[in-house]
Amino acid sequence: MNKFIVTIFFFIFIMSQNIYSQIPPNNLGKTKSELKQKFRDLKFTEARNGLEEYESNGVYFTFKNGQVVAECMGVDDGCKVGYEWFLAMNKAFQKTSYTRVTELTNDAIQLSRTFYYPNFWITILHWKDDGYTTVTYQNSNYFK
């Protein structure tokens, strides 16, 4: 019985290590119809410079040529909550399979850091004056 328990804990340990070594899931490259299956209340908000903006429950999506090229979500619950969320996101992304990461920018206005992956990057940003904190996923098609 003890061998069985040890085996179970071993598999849980291995599986948890694999979760942290993965690339963070995202919606980049998805079409509007694919996104509407996941976000039923997806609403158009604006069009500008060849981009279309949509929103669903505080998650913002930017489409270009019919595909998601950026997605952004934020926390606006005060300085402490935003700061704690920034730290938690930073810690979580450090456990993923990024190819490059910028140094933590910490100036009088903001904290920020960017994690690069093979086909996209993630920028986390915390504004010190009001605590607003965002995480934004983007791919290079945003700029093409």
Side-chain angles (χ1 to χ4, degrees), residues 2 6-7 14 18 23-24 28 30-32 39 42 49 51 56 72 74 78 84 91 97 107 121 124 127 130 141:
N2 286 341
V6 170
T7 304
I14 295 298
N18 285 338
I23 292 175
L28 297 173
K30 291 187 177 176
T31 64
K32 289 175 202 162
F39 299 92
L42 189 67
N49 302 324
L51 302 171
S56 176
C72 180
E84 293 298 325
K91 186 176 180 180
S97 299
D107 58 30
W121 61 91
I124 53 176
W127 296 97
D130 63 3
N141 291 335

Side-chain angles (χ1 to χ4, degrees), residues 76-117:
D76 193 13
D77 288 332
C79 291
K80 181 162 178 47
V81 172
Y83 179 71
E84 293 298 325
W85 194 61
F86 177 89
L87 294 177
M89 296 301 287
N90 185 43
K91 186 176 180 180
F93 290 135
Q94 285 178 3
K95 295 177 181 177
T96 62
S97 299
Y98 57 84
T99 57
R100 183 170 66 92
V101 62
T102 62
E103 291 295 319
L104 179 66
T105 299
N106 186 358
D107 58 30
I109 299 171
Q110 68 184 10
L111 291 168
S112 67
R113 190 166 217 184
T114 302
F115 294 84
Y116 293 89
Y117 299 88

Side-chain angles (χ1 to χ4, degrees), residues 29-34 50 52 62-69:
K30 291 187 177 176
T31 64
K32 289 175 202 162
S33 61
E34 288 175 309
E52 293 180 342
T62 304
F63 286 85
K64 187 171 186 177
N65 299 324
Q67 292 188 324
V68 176
V69 293

Side-chain angles (χ1 to χ4, degrees), residues 1-15:
M1 184 68 170
N2 286 341
K3 187 176 181 182
F4 177 74
I5 293 172
V6 170
T7 304
I8 294 290
F9 280 113
F10 176 75
F11 280 116
I12 290 171
F13 174 76
I14 295 298
M15 289 174 66

Side-chain angles (χ1 to χ4, degrees), residues 10 30 36-37 71 97 132 135:
F10 176 75
K30 291 187 177 176
K36 283 183 181 181
Q37 292 173 13
E71 83 177 280
S97 299
Y132 188 64
V135 58

